[in-house]
Amino acid sequence: MKIKLNIDNKEKIFYLKKVKGSLYRRFLEIQQILIDSENSEKGYGLEHFDMMVTFICQAFNNQFTENELLDDIGADEITLKFYEIAKFVSDKTAEGMKRISKN
C-alpha cells in the first residue's frame, strides 16, 4: 500500500508495509465509531473526518503530517484512502489468520 503526496513541491511516495497491532486496534475502534454514526441520525461530522486523517498518518508511521496530507489530497480522497487502508489492514489480518489455521 502506498500514498503519493506533493510536499514542498516534490512528489514523495510513502509505503505501508506492516500492519502493527496498534494500527489494527485503532482501525477497529474507528470502524465501530463510523458504523454507529451511520446508524444514527447525525451521520459523519468533523470528528469523523479528523479521525480518518489521523489514522491515515498513523498507518504510514507519521512520515507526513496531517497538514501535509490535507494540503495535497482532496477531501473526497480522504475517505477513499481511509477505506483503501482499512481494506489493506483487513486483508493482511485475514492472511495472518489463515496462516494460523493451517498450522
Side-chain angles (χ1 to χ4, degrees):
M1 160 87 19
K2 67 181 178 181
I3 188 171
K4 290 181 190 178
L5 297 176
N6 187 350
I7 300 173
D8 296 327
N9 295 320
K10 294 179 186 171
E11 185 176 274
K12 296 184 180 184
I13 301 173
F14 303 95
Y15 295 92
L16 167 57
K17 297 176 185 173
K18 181 178 181 179
V19 177
K20 297 178 184 177
S22 59
L23 181 67
Y24 183 63
R25 185 179 191 288
R26 186 63 183 140
F27 159 69
L28 292 174
E29 289 173 345
I30 294 172
Q31 182 183 41
Q32 188 59 54
I33 291 168
L34 294 176
I35 288 169
D36 291 346
S37 292
E38 287 175 2
N39 294 333
S40 76
E41 293 179 13
K42 291 182 183 179
Y44 293 141
L46 177 61
E47 80 179 82
H48 304 104
F49 184 80
D50 287 346
M51 274 191 276
M52 287 187 255
V53 169
T54 300
F55 179 78
I56 294 167
C57 292
Q58 290 171 340
F60 288 92
N61 214 20
N62 294 308
Q63 296 177 78
F64 49 85
T65 67
E66 292 177 15
N67 284 338
E68 289 169 333
L69 178 66
L70 290 169
D71 288 346
D72 193 58
I73 290 188
D76 58 324
E77 294 175 85
I78 295 292
T79 303
L80 179 62
K81 186 54 76 175
F82 172 80
Y83 283 110
E84 285 176 10
I85 294 168
K87 181 175 178 352
F88 180 81
V89 168
S90 292
D91 291 349
K92 283 291 189 187
T93 305
E95 286 174 20
M97 296 306 281
K98 285 180 186 177
R99 284 194 306 268
I100 289 170
S101 66
K102 287 182 181 180
N103 294 329

